[in-house]
Amino acid sequence: MKLRNNKPRILITGHTRGIGKAIFDLFNEKGFACKGVSKSTGYDIEDDTDRIIEMVKGFEYVVLNAYKHDSQTIMLKKIIEKYQNFNKKIAVITSTSGTSAGEDENFNKPEYVEYCQHKKNLIDCISNVQQELLMKPLSVFDICPDVVDTDMTEGLWEEWPKLKADEVAEAVRYCFESKFNINKIVLQKNAS
């Protein structure tokens, strides 16, 4: 996909389903030149980290959505190292699973415990780098949704109200358009 120079440019990891697709679709509708990287476009989020980091150069906006182990944390650290003096906005999709509130009945499953630990490490990393970036042009936003209704959460947390993927996409849009320094947005669906 060739990107036009006159449109704002956004790069989204994991853009083919769920939250990433909702973000891709929203920004595409808003007239952005959107580029998605995922397995379907020939990118493995762990194995191709350096290729993706090099791509970031051509984008004003980046969304780190795809999850695979600690790939989001590694990618974020490399982006900051390489682009901290560039005017870019980076939204990172974390999860309330990375907080103490995420320790629910699923917390005894090894894959969920691992997921929670990776998300906790990511949230901690974002919090630390945000302080380091206060006087830099690079901005990093923590978008921290609770349970989102996607194919990945089907059959899980059925007793809780679930967010829609497009609600998470709207939070990303809000951060990117805001004139405020937003450190973190936690999204939860009201139970009532």
Side-chain angles (χ1 to χ4, degrees):
M1 172 180 170
K2 186 169 179 152
L3 301 177
R4 295 183 186 155
N5 290 333
N6 59 344
K7 291 183 174 185
R9 296 172 306 255
I10 186 168
L11 177 68
I12 303 159
T13 66
H15 73 291
T16 56
R17 62 184 185 157
I19 294 169
K21 182 174 180 348
I23 295 167
F24 188 94
D25 291 348
L26 174 68
F27 282 92
N28 192 45
E29 289 171 16
K30 296 250 176 227
F32 281 63
C34 299
K35 171 80 173 170
V37 292
S38 65
K39 288 181 184 176
S40 66
T41 58
Y43 291 90
D44 181 278
I45 210 69
E46 282 183 314
D47 297 338
D48 297 313
T49 298
D50 291 335
R51 281 177 53 206
I52 297 168
I53 297 301
E54 192 57 39
M55 253 191 239
V56 169
K57 180 188 293 181
F59 295 87
E60 301 93 82
Y61 303 93
V62 177
V63 179
L64 299 180
N65 170 61
Y67 165 79
K68 188 175 179 187
H69 304 116
D70 59 353
S71 61
Q72 285 176 293
T73 303
I74 291 169
M75 198 170 288
L76 178 61
K77 287 178 178 179
K78 288 183 175 193
I79 288 171
I80 291 164
E81 182 180 318
K82 188 165 186 156
Y83 299 108
Q84 64 183 294
N85 293 312
F86 291 78
N87 189 13
K88 296 183 180 297
K89 294 185 177 193
I90 315 297
V92 186
I93 309 302
T94 62
S95 170
T96 57
S97 294
T99 67
S100 58
E103 296 180 14
D104 60 16
E105 70 274 358
N106 294 299
F107 204 70
N108 60 357
K109 297 177 182 173
E111 62 276 357
Y112 185 67
V113 171
E114 179 185 9
Y115 174 81
C116 291
Q117 188 58 54
H118 286 301
K119 290 296 185 172
K120 179 185 182 324
N121 293 343
L122 178 60
I123 290 167
D124 291 346
C125 175
I126 294 168
S127 180
N128 291 331
V129 299
Q130 285 173 329
Q131 296 307 308
E132 295 169 16
L133 295 173
L134 279 176
M135 302 307 287
K136 302 280 186 178
L138 181 72
S139 298
V140 176
F141 306 97
D142 178 351
I143 313 297
C144 187
D146 200 11
V147 180
V148 181
D149 189 13
T150 66
D151 58 340
M152 294 175 72
T153 61
E154 192 172 314
L156 298 171
W157 301 288
E158 293 299 324
E159 68 278 8
W160 298 103
K162 293 182 181 178
L163 294 160
K164 293 184 172 113
D166 60 350
E167 292 172 319
V168 180
E170 280 296 329
V172 172
R173 182 199 57 75
Y174 178 77
C175 286
F176 284 167
E177 291 179 357
S178 180
K179 293 178 172 50
F180 300 105
N181 183 16
I182 301 168
N183 290 335
K184 180 179 202 136
I185 290 182
V186 177
L187 302 169
Q188 293 180 304
K189 197 77 165 176
N190 289 336
S192 57

